[in-house]
Structures are given as structure tokens and as C-alpha cells.
Amino acid sequence: MLEKVDQSRDRVGHTRVQWIWALIANSTLFIYGLETGWMSPMTKVLQSDPSPIGAALSDNEIYLVASILFMTATLSVPFYTYISDCYGRRPAIMCVTVFEGLSWIIKVSSPTRIGLIVARAIAGIGASGCFLVIPMYVKEISQDNIRGLLGSLIIMAQNVGVLLMYTIGTFLDYFTVLWIALSMSILVVILMLKAPESPAFLVKRSKFEEAAKTIAHLRGVEVDIQNKNWLRIVILILLMITVHATNGAVSVITYGASTLTASGIQYSISPDIQSLSFPVMMIIGSLVLMATVERFGRKPLMGFCLMLSVCSMAALGVALLLQSSGISPPNWLPVLAMVGIVFGYATGVSPLPFIIMSEILNFQIRAKVMGLVVTYSWFMNFMQLIIYGQISMYLGYHSTFFFFAGLNLFGFFVSLFLLPETKGKSDEDIEVEIKKKFAWKCF
């Protein structure tokens, strides 16, 4: 049986089936992007009088609605770890799609404060599986020479969702937006019904015949993975995810329009319309990632994006500090800085840690370790939004972005000194490089 798996894996064929299922699986990230982008255009609507939910939300209620998604996502990751490890990657993805759809159903059917909070909480349960199951699934159905490219779809799908939500949220009414999002969620559920199971999971369950057939269908999935460097790898991944989750871009995306308003600059275009440039730049960043991730590798791209984030966060902090001191910064500076933040996030800071993580983890422990890491990531995202609100209220917006600049600088040095290059390398080569990186450490 193992010989059949190896023969199927080595067979040369097309990649279109891998592309199709990678795109369909990443449609769950598209729905998550709709949810992520929903708060920015809808904050003003929900705080208007009359409000579509019956009464205008206060600032504290808006913060609760925005952040509760990340809290329930933090608590829900063990559920996906269990499902993906015990029942398969495909059932776990189906759970993601069902919870995403249920969130939009509640928003449509129960337009109240409580209904909105419950819906966002359920959306968090769905979202918690996105960055755990999808990178794992896509990696396990992808052959080595395109796994980075297919892995980069994760942020592209999310950004397309954010852009679409920013667009329809700006120009369409509240309930029309909800019905559009719900319709798309139902479509994703239907598409996922025919998805194949991950060959790596089938091998783990000793279903070698089925794994061989699936690999032959997908053409070239790598299933024989070894990695004895687990402790060092987990430490490196946690460092990368800490930077990813506290980078500050999530705050910019979530509160884009209000941050522009806080700059105190009178723009000829309203901040709501101006903030549409953010998802556009995120999509451009995703395209840049897809074009460069296999050409230049993960490490140089990660380092560049982190340094861009450092410069952009610092520039935005300076602009906001000048404004708070009564000095008007140039009109273009806050917008350019925020565009740089979201571009760096979309191009490398957001997707690359998950691509690298899926490439260096043994499939036998991948679900458990990624579950731990993604739980940590969601919790740190939640803390980021809480910190953003608290520091901004008490110390000023500029202090928040100087803090984020420091975190990105820390990530740059982690990338420079500890991150291995995984492009086109076997698991054994990656293991040797990690050992060299950590050779002078005590662990």
C-alpha cells in the first residue's frame, strides 16, 4: 500500500485539480474577509439614528461587537484541532462554512443588539478554523513546486472579501449587504460538499488505498514527512505568530475610517470612501505575494514586509503625534502610512507565517501544533484590538502605532536571524537549516 502512495506521489501530471480545490477551500477565507470588512462601513450605520437594529450602538458596544469575534475564535480552535485530527480536514472545513453562514443568518433574522453580538460570536467560531484548517488542507493537497503559491491564496481570498464588503457596505443598505453575504456563504457550503479529504490525513489513518487514489487525482501531494526538530520549530512559529497577530494591521483594517478621522485632516474625500484604498492595496499585496513567493522565497519577502510595517507604523505615529500637538501633518502622510501598513500585512506579515508553518510541521502533529498556534493567534488578535482601544483612549493614537512599530521591528530581527528559507526545500533540508539557526541556543 505504501508503494502505491509513493508511486502516485511521484507521478507527473497537471495541477489544475489542486488549484480548483485550493480556491474552493479558500472561499471560506473570502467569507471571513466579508466579516472582517463588515465593521468598517457598518460602524457609522449602527451608530446612526435611526439604526437598522433599533437603537444606535455606543462606542463601547461597537468595541464589543468588533472584538468578540476574536475572543470566541480564541476559545474555539481546540474544536477544530479535534475535528481535523480525528475526523479529517474536510469535515473541519465544512464546520467553518456552516458557522460562517449561521452568523449571517442571525444578522438577517435578528436585527437587535443581542442578535448582533451573538452573530459576531458565532462568526468567531467559524473564523477560528480558517487559519488552522485551510493552510493545512491546501498544503496537504499541493505538490512542492506550487505549495507556496497555493498557500498565498489564503490572504488573497480574505482581501477580496474585505474589498467587496468595503464596496457594497459603502453603497448598499444594511440588509442588502447581509443578504449578499449570506448568499455567498451558502454557495461556499455547496461547493465544499464534494471536496476530497487530505491524503496526509488518509495516510495517518492507514487508508493507503484511498490516499493513493486521492494523490493520483490531485497529482503530486507530498505525504512522507519527517521532522524531529519540533521544540525549535514550535518556538520559532510562536515568535512569528506573535508578530503576525500583534502587527497592528488588524486595527487599521477594523477601524480604518475612524483612524483617518482621528488624524484631524480635512480630506476632500470622506474617510469612508478613502478607506476603500486599504482593501485595494491588500489585493495588490496578495498579487505581489503570488508573483514573488516562489521566485524570491519566504524569508526575504517576510523581512521586507516587516520593515515596511515598521516604517509605516512609525510614520503614522508621527502624523498622529503632530496632529495631537496642534501641528497639521501633510494630508498624504496618514493615508500613505496606512496603505503601507495594509500592503505589508497582505504581502507577507499575514500569509507567510501560515505558509511557513504548514511547510515545516510533520503531518502527524500538524493539526495539534497548528491548533495551539492558531488559538494563540486569535487571542493575540483579540488583545490587539483591546489594546488599540485602551491605549488610543488614554495615551493617544500615536502611542499605539509607535508600540506597533516596535513589535514589527522585533519581528524583523526574528526573521533576519532565526527564520529558515523553505522555498522548494524538502522537510529534511528545512530541519537541518533550523538546527543550524538554533545551534548556538541552549534549546
Side-chain angles (χ1 to χ4, degrees):
M1 291 299 183
L2 285 171
E3 290 178 358
K4 289 184 179 181
V5 173
D6 291 335
Q7 291 168 2
S8 297
R9 182 190 64 211
D10 295 334
R11 203 176 296 161
V12 177
H14 60 76
T15 62
R16 60 177 177 268
V17 176
Q18 297 168 53
W19 272 97
I20 290 171
W21 289 117
L23 286 168
I24 292 175
N26 276 283
S27 296
T28 60
L29 269 297
F30 169 76
I31 302 301
Y32 171 67
L34 293 177
E35 189 70 59
T36 302
W38 186 74
M39 283 302 301
S40 184
M42 292 303 150
T43 295
K44 180 186 293 184
V45 176
L46 292 169
Q47 291 190 309
S48 64
D49 192 12
S51 169
I53 63 170
L57 296 182
S58 66
D59 287 342
N60 286 334
E61 287 173 326
I62 285 292
Y63 286 138
L64 174 61
V65 170
S67 62
I68 196 171
L69 180 150
F70 297 93
M71 176 52 74
T72 54
T74 302
L75 301 174
S76 303
V77 172
F79 167 74
Y80 289 99
T81 300
Y82 175 76
I83 294 296
S84 61
D85 212 27
C86 295
Y87 297 99
R89 298 7 173 176
R90 180 178 173 273
I93 297 175
M94 291 301 301
C95 289
V96 171
T97 61
V98 169
F99 281 114
E100 286 177 334
L102 183 59
S103 170
W104 297 111
I105 290 173
I106 294 174
K107 289 191 187 80
V108 169
S109 61
S110 181
T112 62
R113 279 190 178 91
I114 299 299
L116 184 56
I117 293 170
V118 171
R120 286 283 289 184
I122 290 176
I125 299 174
S128 67
C130 290
F131 293 98
L132 167 60
V133 183
I134 306 305
M136 181 165 43
Y137 179 78
V138 171
K139 193 273 178 185
E140 291 173 355
I141 67 170
S142 304
Q143 60 195 53
D144 289 348
N145 64 328
I146 62 168
R147 70 187 183 193
L149 183 58
L150 294 185
S152 66
L153 292 173
I154 189 172
I155 198 64
M156 169 60 83
Q158 178 187 343
N159 293 342
V160 171
V162 173
L163 174 61
L164 180 61
M165 181 54 71
Y166 269 51
T167 304
I168 64 177
T170 300
F171 297 107
L172 300 178
D173 69 83
Y174 180 83
F175 286 102
T176 300
V177 170
L178 295 181
W179 279 110
I180 291 174
L182 175 57
S183 300
M184 292 181 176
S185 295
I186 293 172
L187 177 61
V188 173
V189 172
I190 294 172
L191 290 173
M192 277 303 304
L193 288 174
K194 298 294 289 183
E197 183 52 84
S198 156
F201 176 79
L202 295 173
V203 170
K204 182 179 178 180
R205 292 298 176 190
S206 300
K207 298 180 179 180
F208 301 115
E209 187 72 29
E210 188 177 349
K213 292 178 180 178
T214 304
I215 292 170
H217 177 63
L218 295 169
R219 300 296 181 100
V221 172
E222 177 65 46
V223 297
D224 184 18
I225 303 173
Q226 295 179 358
N227 195 334
K228 301 176 182 178
N229 228 7
W230 296 346
L231 177 59
R232 293 174 179 134
I233 289 171
V234 170
I235 292 171
L236 177 59
I237 289 172
L238 286 174
L239 290 174
M240 291 166 51
I241 291 297
T242 297
V243 176
H244 155 82
T246 57
N247 155 266
V250 171
S251 297
V252 171
I253 296 167
T254 303
Y255 304 118
S258 60
T259 303
L260 281 172
T261 302
S263 67
I265 297 174
Q266 298 298 318
Y267 298 99
S268 57
I269 302 175
S270 73
D272 289 308
I273 301 297
Q274 195 103 248
S275 63
L276 281 171
S277 63
F278 303 155
V280 171
M281 289 307 301
M282 290 172 71
I283 289 187
I284 293 174
S286 300
L287 292 171
V288 171
L289 173 67
M290 295 176 70
T292 59
V293 68
E294 294 294 354
R295 178 173 298 182
F296 299 111
R298 288 50 154 162
K299 184 182 176 77
L301 196 56
M302 189 72 175
F304 167 77
C305 292
L306 285 167
M307 185 50 65
L308 175 62
S309 298
V310 171
C311 297
S312 300
M313 292 288 182
L316 183 56
V318 169
L320 294 169
L321 178 60
L322 289 174
Q323 189 276 330
S324 66
S325 302
I327 303 172
S328 297
N331 286 5
W332 51 266
L333 183 57
V335 176
L336 181 62
M338 293 175 74
V339 165
I341 291 167
V342 297
F343 178 79
Y345 183 72
T347 306
V349 178
S350 180
L352 285 176
F354 294 99
I355 294 174
I356 295 168
M357 179 166 54
S358 68
E359 289 178 332
I360 63 178
L361 285 173
N362 184 302
F363 78 85
Q364 292 180 317
I365 64 164
R366 189 175 295 136
K368 291 182 175 66
V369 174
M370 289 185 69
L372 169 67
V373 171
V374 174
T375 299
Y376 173 72
S377 174
W378 282 116
F379 177 73
M380 293 304 292
N381 270 292
F382 169 76
M383 292 303 298
Q384 176 189 166
L385 291 180
I386 293 296
I387 289 171
Y388 177 87
Q390 298 302 313
I391 295 180
S392 299
M393 283 191 293
Y394 294 107
L395 299 179
Y397 281 95
H398 61 279
S399 299
T400 307
F401 288 102
F402 287 141
F403 173 71
F404 287 144
L407 288 172
N408 282 278
L409 184 61
F410 167 76
F412 173 78
F413 286 114
V414 170
S415 174
L416 181 64
F417 293 112
L418 297 179
L419 188 67
E421 179 54 70
T422 60
K423 179 180 79 73
K425 293 185 177 180
S426 68
D427 299 303
E428 290 77 11
D429 291 337
I430 294 171
E431 180 181 349
V432 169
E433 187 170 351
I434 290 176
K435 285 182 178 178
K436 290 179 180 178
K437 294 284 186 183
F438 285 85
W440 55 277
K441 303 291 188 299
C442 60
F443 45 84

